[in-house]
Amino acid sequence: PVVQPGSGNAIVINPCQRLNPVLEHIRNVTKEFGDVVPDFQLGRTTCALFLSLKYHRLHPEYVHTRIQKLGNAFNLRILLLMCDISEHQDPIRELTKICLINNMTIVVCWSAEEAGTYLATYKAFEHKSPDLIKERQEKDYQSILRAALTSINKVNKTDVETLRTTFGVTTYFPQIHIIAIFLTNTHFKSFAGIAKASPEQLRSLPGFGQVKVRRIKDAFEKPFRNNA
Amino acid sequence: MSTEQLLPYQTEILQNLHDPLTSELLILARGLGLRKIISTLLKIYDSPQNLVLLVNTLPEEDGSFGEELGIMGCRKPGLRIVGYEMGRKERQNLYKQGGLISVTSRILVVDLLQSDIPVDLITGLVVLHAEKVTALSLEAFIVRLFREGNQSGFVKAFTDEPEHITSGMYPLKSILKELQLRKVHIYPRFHEEIKKSLERRRADVVELYQPLTEPMSEIHQAIVQCMSATLSELKRSNTSLELEDFNVENAYFKSFDSIVRRLLDPVWHKVGPKTKQLVSDLGTLRNLLTYLISYDCLAFHAYLETIMASNSTTASGAQKQHQSPWLFMDAANTIFQSAKRRCYLSTAPGKAKSGPTVIDLVDDEDVWDALNEAEGLPSAASTSKPPEPPKKPKRKKWIPEGMDPVLEELPKWNLLADVLQEIEEEMIRLEGTTSFATPGTNTVLVMCSSQRTCELLSEFVSSMDTSAERGSKGRKMMERRLRLYLWWKGKLSSNQKEGRGIFQLPARTNDTQQNDSNVNEGISDALKKKDAVTKDRLANRRRLRGGAPATAASGRSQIPSLTTAQEGSMSSKEREKLGIMVGEGEMRSEADNIADFLATQKAEGFIADDEVPILTPFGGGTQGLGIDVDEEIAMSLDTIDFDSEYDANFGLLQPQQTVIVRPYSDDSDDRLLAEIRPRFIVMYEPNQDFIRRIECYRSSNPGLAVRVYFMVYQFSCEEHKYLAGIRREKDAFERLIRERGSMLIPIMEKTERAGSSSENIIKTISTRIAGGGKQLNTDPSQVIVDMREFRSTLPSLLHAAKVLIVPATLTVGDYILTPDICVERKSIPDLLASFSSGRLYTQCELMSVHYKQPILLIEFEEHKSFSLQTVGELKNYAKPTGKYPPKKKPNEPAPETISVTSIQSKLVLLTLSFPRLRIIWSSSPYATADIFKDLKMQRPEPDPSRAIALGAEEDPDAGAGINAAAEELLQALPGITSKNVKYVMSKVGSVSELCELDKAAVQKILGIEPGTTCFEFLHRGEQST
């Protein structure tokens, strides 16, 4: 059967992968076998080779022949590496170099399920726009606030919660220790309010020790640049 | 001055250490004056001819070292501190001047690498906290760089935490190896010389063993029971692990958590949520144990209630999947019941108020008295107290019907009251015999473990009713706290009601309902708040004795405490989040009752408390403005009244009347003792270090009679912890001494500068082996590293792998390996964060523009699992195999199930967007260093000036020092992208400055629309004028 590779919405699988346990984990996209050079053809310009490190240990030359066969075809060439041995450091190092020379991108997975998910995702996202991972602005206030404050080292989500409840943006929260209510004594009304809070005020909050307070104050008040 | 004299053993240590030709490590037991020894040593070297660097200090230590040195008389210029604010030129000048300089490790590494500091002129390094030095730490890197250029200077390392030197097979050896030292001095407390010095003059110690009250010991036992059950559950669910260290005694210590994490880290992704829950439960239970003996009964009870509340619901309001198993034990019930019984008893309204309360109190009284008699303590109460049950003078009106306050006080409070009484009598007795020549002051020093306990104790001491009988001396304070507690409970209930309401109604249609409740609450809140404010104020006024300088500030800051929480409780968002609470019916109904009671109180127009005078006619009818007004009152009270009363209450006090309550801290306690020179010291909680400090204090002050009262709860975790702590330290010292005896001392070969000639030859040879170019590469192998990356361990490892590190401030990428290869390093948490913020996309974009081979390095941590997946994540993918077939709706399109939020999908999207991007998967920084070396083979070296210039066109300050924390914070703000962040930084000094700008100014910097978003984010929640 001659199949026109890469034409439809299906992953085209090289018949040599027929017994690969990964196949049964490729879900949510259609699959078909076809005469293609790589192991998986995931799109017009995308392909993947599959390599299990266990197999690589036994047949180190295999991957080279496959890469050679691939030539310069395809724009995005994935080497899907299944990490199924514990001594992975050396083979990965060696493969990293090979891939750099041959313009391939390594993707490491740890289970057949993960491998299947990767393959299916590549197909499904073939025409997806990268908006998902681009910088966005239209997030809600809370998560921006959380992201901003947790970017300070040592500040965790609970602390943001504490700050937030304390500066009165939002309200009472059952998890917050009662001490928070007994001891909080300041009005940090907003983000700018936190910037104005004194170290003493911050220190009186539960879970805020010296180190944390110092980090917060450093991030807010110290200048971005020294003028060297 | 006598206190500045060194004790004989300290002199001996200094004689061993002072030689500038030798390098060594000193391990000293804690509390024996390490800071003093180091300061004296530094003083010896203080001269412009020397350049001595103090490395690895904690920031707060820098100050105290400077102070200590100042007191010792080396002031000009004394110890100078280098932080990152100091510019490069300034630092260079400073180094040239010589003297004593304390430098942050990160800056020192960069300065050493850039040769800003004359390495060959450094007299020596003084490394603190040597116990924290590992092969990966910056200090090891510093020593390596230092030794490369300077063989004659000294390295003197210090530590007073032998317990921490435990990692690996030969912990001591590895530290010595990293610091390139060959000699180690160990001075435990049982060292001959120290014994001789300290045991000549002993302090007069009174040990007081206070038993727990009956309900307390019940709770104590129940908690221990819960802990052992949790532990055995943990063992049962992880049979594969070696868990021999898992026992309740070890679980008392905080370090236990890190032991557990270390054991579980390699398999952390495999353990189920149940195990994780168990591990965190152990932490909670351990906290409970300490809170039991340090919190007052109401705070403890309230804490338990919050635990219960947070356990039954998640933050999103859904019922929690994995509840802590210990909550279902009988013992847990005991904990909750007894904790409540310590606070109050619920009786049916209208019934007589006799019964269990009274019995309870009597029991306790008897127990205490009996014990005090047995110990021969002077116990005024036991002789004078009539055996009849203590009856309450009159029922407070604000206490709801059906509630009988018990308000058990912590037994140590009474003990403290007795001790203070005794001390006072003793002072009067000694009045005649002492003269001005007698050393010491009559100030009583009370030491306890935490700032919190400190505040509690000073409140107790200041509001203490000395004439009251035992067990109720702090009644007033407790009643005040009960009121706060009732108010809080009422709040809880009203919140819950709201929560339920919202769940029945469609979201956000209940504005009117909320307004109603706001009105209601507005009134009562305002009243309650005012009460609280006046009460607090009165408390301040009453503080006659306990007004120590340290506590004065805290007393002040407590006044407006209620306002925020209240205002907070009004807004609507959280209520939706709160959701329905499950499985705490009793607690809730109780809360409801209290809320109802508060409501009725308000309805009757009952405003004033019988003992609190009304301060101002603020009150009902100000619901709208209520908050503001109250806040203003609070503020005015806070500032004006406090200042005006300051002199009356906090001015000059007779030393006899002063009681200072302080928490234990580090070596600065020595200074505290030396300055206050107390004759009477109360150790409210046991602390081994402080005992030694007192020993030193006593020994260096001949003729000063010190009396120490040492309090400990009998048969409690506190006692156990204290004893186990002593044992652990002793064991650690013995282990170290043994290791020193059998240690193979490494001989340090002379280290060459990285990339120097011999290395070069090897590199060229290996290049040939790889079949590469024929020409000899004469440039040293080098990697350009971004300044910010010196926080990570990779630069140090690269340097250890003989690669020359060139620090630079890079705009694009983190590491530049060759003119074409640019690497962006991401640890796993980093990766997640920068995926969701979108920063990674921009970074990859920039790399792709400027370099031929952009590389993303995904670096895992060394001992953690090398895997992206966790069990929890796996479950997101519906598995058709297994017991539970997925319930898929027939009309749902198939690709919907591919999760778009998982990290795998994002990686896929990233590679699809940047086909040229390569990914390096590295299981540890070591592996990364290997891979980097591999990639650099037979490739040209990168050019630093080009790398710095790339992408930095819009940044006029390129190359300057950077405050990374501030930059990250700035980048996380809306309206600021990685494209304009550099520009913003050149326009605004700091984040605070940005916050203070007005809208137009922000818009001018960011542009109209992003400027608006940013401004609105910064100031959201403030009342617009």
Side-chain angles (χ1 to χ4, degrees):
Chain A
V2 180
V3 182
Q4 206 63 7
S7 57
N9 283 325
I11 292 182
V12 187
I13 301 167
N14 191 324
C16 73
Q17 298 290 320
R18 196 175 285 277
L19 295 176
N20 192 336
V22 167
L23 295 195
E24 65 174 288
H25 294 289
I26 303 178
R27 275 189 232 103
N28 304 316
V29 288
T30 44
K31 302 170 271 193
E32 59 193 38
F33 288 99
D35 190 15
V36 285
V37 186
D39 290 338
F40 301 94
Q41 182 168 339
L42 303 168
R44 252 175 225 293
T45 57
T46 310
C47 75
L49 288 180
F50 178 83
L51 182 67
S52 142
L53 280 180
K54 222 182 237 169
Y55 186 83
H56 180 67
R57 194 163 51 175
L58 294 172
H59 308 278
E61 74 298 335
Y62 163 79
V63 69
H64 291 272
T65 59
R66 292 305 304 270
I67 292 175
Q68 225 161 31
K69 261 190 228 162
L70 209 55
N72 283 325
F74 296 101
N75 188 15
L76 173 60
R77 298 129 55 102
I78 307 287
L79 179 68
L80 189 57
L81 204 58
M82 171 101 104
C83 181
D84 45 10
I85 55 175
S86 53
E87 293 299 311
H88 44 70
Q89 207 162 316
D90 281 334
I92 289 186
R93 179 166 57 90
E94 171 207 342
L95 285 167
T96 305
K97 198 172 180 196
I98 293 168
C99 285
L100 204 66
I101 294 166
N102 291 298
N103 296 326
M104 297 192 72
T105 304
I106 295 186
V107 172
V108 182
C109 58
W110 283 267
S111 66
E113 283 153 46
E114 206 185 349
T117 318
Y118 268 124
L119 291 172
T121 316
Y122 267 109
K123 184 72 207 172
F125 284 3
E126 192 185 349
H127 302 294
K128 201 175 172 68
S129 81
D131 289 342
L132 188 69
I133 52 170
K134 271 191 186 161
E135 290 191 44
R136 289 180 307 270
Q137 298 304 330
E138 68 289 333
K139 279 189 297 188
D140 63 312
Y141 179 68
Q142 317 260 321
S143 44
I144 303 177
L145 186 68
R146 188 185 310 144
L149 290 174
T150 48
S151 77
I152 302 172
N153 199 357
K154 289 259 164 40
V155 177
N156 57 30
K157 283 178 192 163
T158 321
D159 299 332
V160 177
E161 231 22 76
T162 312
L163 280 172
R164 195 161 66 109
T165 45
T166 311
F167 65 65
V169 174
T170 31
T171 52
Y172 180 70
F173 204 66
Q175 275 89 339
I176 295 290
H177 209 282
I178 184 167
I179 312 306
I181 298 163
F182 282 164
L183 280 187
T184 52
N185 45 29
T186 37
H187 260 356
F188 310 145
K189 284 183 186 162
S190 62
F191 187 83
I194 306 178
K196 281 193 210 109
S198 71
E200 287 74 32
Q201 288 174 327
L202 289 174
R203 209 170 298 145
S204 66
L205 302 177
F208 283 71
Q210 270 193 344
V211 180
K212 201 173 282 177
V213 170
R214 190 161 38 76
R215 298 236 192 222
I216 293 177
K217 289 324 279 176
D218 277 0
F220 272 102
E221 276 168 12
K222 295 230 172 142
F224 295 120
R225 293 290 163 86
N226 57 21
N227 301 309
Chain B
M1 216 177 138
S2 64
T3 49
E4 300 306 333
Q5 269 172 17
L6 291 171
L7 293 170
Y9 74 90
Q10 290 172 331
T11 320
E12 192 203 281
I13 292 173
L14 269 174
Q15 274 164 0
N16 284 332
L17 283 180
H18 78 280
D19 188 356
L21 294 175
T22 58
S23 299
E24 55 248 297
L25 170 68
L26 171 70
I27 305 175
L28 185 68
R30 250 192 322 284
L32 292 178
L34 183 65
R35 183 169 295 167
K36 202 167 176 184
I37 291 172
I38 297 174
S39 304
T40 318
L41 185 73
L42 288 175
K43 195 191 161 201
I44 296 173
Y45 291 118
D46 177 36
S47 96
Q49 278 80 48
N50 290 328
L51 175 58
V52 177
L53 301 175
L54 191 60
V55 181
N56 206 16
T57 51
L58 304 173
E60 55 270 22
E61 280 177 343
D62 278 338
S64 16
F65 267 114
E67 233 168 79
E68 187 89 32
L69 281 166
I71 292 169
M72 285 183 177
C74 65
R75 287 198 186 88
K76 282 175 195 162
L79 180 76
R80 266 113 356 124
I81 297 160
V82 174
Y84 81 95
E85 305 95 330
M86 196 179 270
R88 193 172 161 184
K89 289 266 152 50
E90 234 175 299
R91 289 204 302 266
Q92 279 173 338
N93 284 333
L94 190 64
Y95 295 139
K96 274 184 204 137
Q97 285 165 22
L100 308 175
I101 299 174
S102 166
V103 202
T104 318
S105 298
R106 203 144 66 87
I107 293 173
L108 185 56
V109 165
V110 173
D111 284 346
L112 281 168
L113 283 169
Q114 289 181 325
S115 312
D116 280 346
I117 187 166
V119 184
D120 44 327
L121 296 182
I122 298 176
T123 318
L125 301 179
V126 174
V127 183
L128 269 74
H129 297 285
E131 77 278 354
K132 287 188 192 137
V133 173
T134 63
L136 294 176
S137 62
L138 278 176
E139 288 68 40
F141 193 15
I142 289 171
V143 171
R144 224 171 329 116
L145 287 169
F146 171 63
R147 280 294 176 225
E148 270 175 10
N150 186 336
Q151 292 293 319
S152 57
F154 64 80
V155 174
K156 298 197 188 289
F158 298 90
T159 176
D160 59 358
E161 285 177 58
E163 298 96 329
H164 287 265
I165 308 179
T166 47
S167 64
M169 289 275 276
Y170 301 104
L172 183 58
K173 188 184 152 192
S174 61
I175 289 179
L176 288 182
K177 188 175 147 240
E178 291 314 324
L179 292 172
Q180 312 202 5
L181 299 174
R182 302 199 57 200
K183 209 150 118 201
V184 54
H185 303 284
I186 301 179
Y187 282 90
R189 172 64 179 81
F190 51 82
H191 191 277
E192 184 71 17
E193 190 63 33
I194 295 177
K195 263 187 170 167
K196 249 196 330 206
S197 309
L198 290 184
E199 286 173 11
R200 253 185 319 159
R201 301 192 198 97
R202 285 167 180 270
D204 171 18
V205 181
V206 183
E207 292 187 19
L208 303 169
Y209 289 94
Q210 172 68 51
L212 296 170
T213 65
E214 193 192 354
M216 277 174 87
S217 60
E218 260 171 38
I219 297 175
H220 193 280
Q221 277 163 17
I223 295 176
V224 170
Q225 216 177 326
C226 286
M227 276 176 111
S228 51
T230 309
L231 273 175
S232 54
E233 187 72 28
L234 195 60
K235 277 186 196 162
R236 205 176 321 135
S237 51
N238 293 289
T239 41
S240 59
L241 293 174
E242 227 179 290
L243 301 176
E244 58 196 24
D245 279 348
F246 280 29
N247 55 41
V248 177
E249 276 73 33
N250 276 336
Y252 283 161
F253 289 96
K254 241 191 181 138
S255 61
F256 181 75
D257 279 358
S258 60
I259 297 177
V260 174
R261 279 312 295 257
R262 205 170 52 228
L263 280 172
L264 290 177
D265 253 346
V267 290
W268 191 247
H269 64 297
K270 283 186 208 151
V271 302
K274 193 180 156 204
T275 305
K276 290 179 186 172
Q277 179 74 48
L278 287 174
V279 172
S280 78
D281 280 352
L282 277 177
T284 315
L285 285 167
R286 189 185 47 236
N287 282 342
L288 276 182
L289 267 186
T290 47
Y291 292 165
L292 172 68
I293 50 177
S294 61
Y295 280 22
D296 61 279
C297 60
L298 285 167
F300 183 73
H301 181 47
Y303 182 65
L304 281 175
E305 284 182 340
T306 49
I307 286 182
M308 192 117 103
S310 59
N311 241 291
S312 50
T313 50
T314 57
S316 56
Q319 190 170 358
K320 222 176 181 180
Q321 286 287 310
H322 299 273
Q323 292 205 25
S324 308
W326 67 270
L327 283 174
F328 298 107
M329 288 174 61
D330 281 348
N333 197 28
T334 317
I335 296 175
F336 287 107
Q337 293 302 329
S338 307
K340 199 178 132 199
R341 198 150 56 83
R342 288 173 70 202
C343 302
Y344 53 84
L345 295 168
S346 306
T347 48
K351 265 191 193 169
K353 279 146 207 150
S354 62
T357 341
V358 178
I359 293 166
D360 209 48
L361 272 173
V362 173
D363 271 358
D364 291 341
E365 301 284 305
D366 284 350
V367 170
W368 293 337
D369 285 343
L371 255 141
N372 283 327
E373 272 166 21
E375 283 170 17
L377 269 178
S379 155
S382 65
T383 48
S384 64
K385 196 198 69 167
E388 68 178 47
K391 54 174 195 282
K392 251 177 279 122
K394 73 183 156 180
R395 194 175 167 78
K396 302 277 187 304
K397 281 189 192 146
W398 47 266
I399 295 174
E401 289 292 313
M403 176 185 269
D404 250 331
V406 176
L407 303 180
E408 182 187 277
E409 295 175 7
L410 287 176
K412 267 192 192 174
W413 293 356
N414 279 291
L415 203 56
L416 183 65
D418 287 346
V419 165
L420 289 178
Q421 175 90 25
E422 190 188 306
I423 289 174
E424 219 163 309
E425 283 161 13
E426 186 79 7
M427 278 180 202
I428 294 166
R429 201 173 58 78
L430 288 173
E431 194 88 10
T433 59
T434 52
S435 63
F436 279 110
T438 326
T441 58
N442 276 336
T443 305
V444 181
L445 184 63
V446 180
M447 298 298 289
C448 56
S449 61
S450 67
Q451 189 64 44
R452 207 190 130 70
T453 319
C454 244
E455 278 157 23
L456 193 66
L457 279 185
S458 44
E459 195 183 344
F460 170 73
V461 171
S462 56
S463 66
M464 181 169 66
D465 182 2
T466 35
S467 59
E469 50 216 82
R470 305 185 51 78
S472 57
K473 286 190 170 145
R475 189 77 182 178
K476 259 187 196 142
M477 177 177 94
M478 289 311 290
E479 277 172 1
R480 204 157 53 227
R481 282 177 181 252
L482 178 63
R483 266 195 109 167
L484 281 174
Y485 170 79
L486 286 178
W487 167 81
W488 175 75
K489 204 67 190 281
K491 209 85 257 162
L492 195 67
S493 138
S494 65
N495 267 311
Q496 280 163 354
K497 277 181 195 159
E498 294 289 326
R500 264 173 278 158
I502 284 165
F503 265 75
Q504 284 152 10
L505 295 165
R508 292 197 183 275
T509 57
N510 47 357
D511 279 343
T512 50
Q513 183 197 342
Q514 260 162 14
N515 279 341
D516 282 352
S517 70
N518 274 353
V519 171
N520 278 342
E521 277 175 5
I523 299 168
S524 66
D525 280 352
L527 292 180
K528 294 251 89 178
K529 209 181 317 176
K530 190 162 58 59
D531 277 358
V533 165
T534 41
K535 282 208 129 186
D536 262 341
R537 191 163 166 278
L538 281 182
N540 255 349
R541 202 179 272 162
R542 279 195 212 111
R543 184 172 288 130
L544 291 171
R545 285 168 54 104
T551 54
S554 68
R556 165 169 34 171
S557 62
Q558 269 174 358
I559 297 173
S561 69
L562 289 171
T563 48
T564 34
Q566 255 162 358
E567 189 193 57
S569 64
M570 306 267 247
S571 103
S572 62
K573 263 194 193 152
E574 281 307 309
R575 284 191 194 132
E576 283 165 88
K577 267 201 174 169
L578 196 64
I580 305 168
M581 315 290 266
V582 191
E584 32 176 3
E586 188 201 357
M587 182 177 138
R588 189 202 291 160
S589 66
E590 220 174 74
D592 286 353
N593 286 339
I594 293 169
D596 289 347
F597 174 75
L598 290 178
T600 53
Q601 230 182 10
K602 180 189 66 215
E604 285 162 15
F606 172 81
I607 296 172
D609 183 56
D610 41 6
E611 47 170 13
V612 183
I614 306 172
L615 182 75
T616 37
F618 287 108
T622 56
Q623 47 292 52
L625 295 166
I627 293 154
D628 292 317
V629 173
D630 272 300
E631 197 189 332
E632 270 164 36
I633 299 172
M635 292 299 285
S636 63
L637 283 179
D638 190 7
T639 50
I640 304 163
D641 286 355
F642 187 82
D643 285 342
S644 62
E645 283 178 16
Y646 186 88
D647 275 341
N649 289 334
F650 301 95
L652 290 170
L653 275 177
Q654 292 298 308
Q656 283 85 344
Q657 293 176 312
T658 327
V659 178
I660 296 183
V661 189
R662 275 298 190 87
Y664 297 118
S665 88
D666 55 356
D667 278 351
S668 43
D669 282 349
D670 287 336
R671 176 85 8 231
L672 179 80
L673 284 174
E675 268 164 17
I676 298 177
R677 294 160 61 74
R679 262 192 296 243
F680 298 96
I681 301 171
V682 181
M683 293 180 68
Y684 184 75
E685 274 144 301
N687 182 311
Q688 193 194 176
D689 308 345
F690 199 76
I691 293 177
R692 291 189 188 141
R693 289 184 215 289
I694 294 175
E695 283 178 329
C696 291
Y697 165 65
R698 171 80 186 89
S699 300
S700 52
N701 285 289
L704 175 65
V706 183
R707 176 175 295 174
V708 182
Y709 293 89
F710 178 87
M711 297 182 182
V712 62
Y713 282 116
Q714 211 170 9
F715 308 120
S716 71
C717 64
E718 187 179 78
E719 189 183 15
H720 174 84
K721 252 163 130 173
Y722 171 64
L723 295 175
I726 294 179
R727 205 180 324 120
R728 258 160 40 113
E729 198 208 49
K730 190 159 161 279
D731 288 349
F733 268 119
E734 279 170 358
R735 211 171 44 235
L736 289 175
I737 291 170
R738 224 176 302 127
E739 193 188 329
R740 181 175 62 174
S742 63
M743 187 169 52
L744 296 169
I745 298 169
I747 293 178
M748 259 53 89
E749 76 231 62
K750 196 169 174 292
T751 43
E752 299 259 334
R753 189 171 277 278
S756 62
S757 56
S758 60
E759 277 311 308
N760 244 333
I761 291 167
I762 295 169
K763 185 191 159 211
T764 19
I765 290 170
S766 60
T767 314
R768 276 192 194 141
I769 291 168
K774 293 256 161 67
Q775 83 279 22
L776 274 173
N777 195 346
T778 45
D779 291 339
S781 175
Q782 63 177 27
V783 171
I784 303 170
V785 182
D786 187 30
M787 294 279 196
R788 278 156 284 203
E789 277 298 302
F790 282 94
R791 276 183 291 182
S792 74
T793 54
L794 189 54
S796 166
L797 288 174
L798 281 174
H799 180 265
K802 312 283 181 210
V803 177
L804 191 65
I805 309 288
V806 183
T809 310
L810 300 178
T811 312
V812 182
D814 292 334
Y815 297 85
I816 312 294
L817 303 186
T818 73
D820 292 335
I821 300 182
C822 167
V823 179
E824 179 72 41
R825 191 188 72 99
K826 293 280 175 210
S827 64
I828 297 304
D830 263 357
L831 185 71
L832 291 170
S834 50
F835 257 133
S836 58
S837 72
R839 199 176 343 151
L840 186 59
Y841 186 90
T842 324
Q843 282 169 336
C844 290
E845 223 173 13
L846 279 173
M847 282 203 292
S848 304
V849 169
H850 294 288
Y851 290 91
K852 267 188 217 154
Q853 295 255 316
I855 295 183
L856 169 66
L857 163 65
I858 301 179
E859 191 173 82
F860 293 76
E861 265 173 67
E862 202 192 355
H863 296 291
K864 297 201 174 155
S865 59
F866 180 45
S867 166
L868 275 183
Q869 250 170 336
T870 61
V871 173
E873 274 179 68
L874 257 181
K875 279 181 188 145
N876 289 342
Y877 316 126
K879 272 189 231 169
T881 51
K883 279 184 241 170
Y884 311 105
K887 287 169 208 148
K888 223 189 265 178
K889 280 168 197 151
N891 57 353
E892 202 177 19
E896 283 286 311
T897 52
I898 290 179
S899 150
V900 287
T901 50
S902 78
I903 183 154
Q904 279 94 347
S905 312
K906 287 179 175 169
L907 263 180
V908 166
L909 214 50
L910 189 74
T911 49
L912 281 169
S913 320
F914 301 99
R916 266 197 301 133
L917 181 76
R918 309 282 165 254
I919 302 176
I920 296 178
W921 301 73
S922 163
S923 52
S924 73
Y926 288 104
T928 316
D930 280 350
I931 293 175
F932 275 13
K933 279 196 93 177
D934 230 28
L935 295 182
K936 278 192 64 63
M937 265 181 205
Q938 54 158 147
R939 307 230 177 184
E941 298 300 333
D943 175 14
S945 52
R946 181 177 164 262
I948 293 171
L950 276 181
E953 295 85 9
E954 71 272 40
D955 183 11
D957 283 340
I962 273 182
N963 177 1
E967 193 179 334
E968 268 170 41
L969 179 65
L970 181 67
Q971 253 183 21
L973 300 180
I976 290 170
T977 59
S978 32
K979 281 180 192 131
N980 66 15
V981 64
K982 296 271 150 54
Y983 179 73
V984 177
M985 287 201 294
S986 67
K987 286 284 170 199
V988 193
S990 67
V991 179
S992 288
E993 241 173 78
L994 181 70
C995 292
E996 275 160 26
L997 294 178
D998 60 3
K999 193 166 175 176
V1002 178
Q1003 280 173 338
K1004 202 178 154 208
I1005 295 173
L1006 291 173
I1008 298 297
E1009 202 172 312
T1012 319
T1013 358
C1014 183
F1015 184 82
E1016 274 168 8
F1017 172 81
L1018 292 179
H1019 298 279
R1020 182 165 156 171
E1022 283 172 24
Q1023 273 137 15
S1024 49
T1025 46

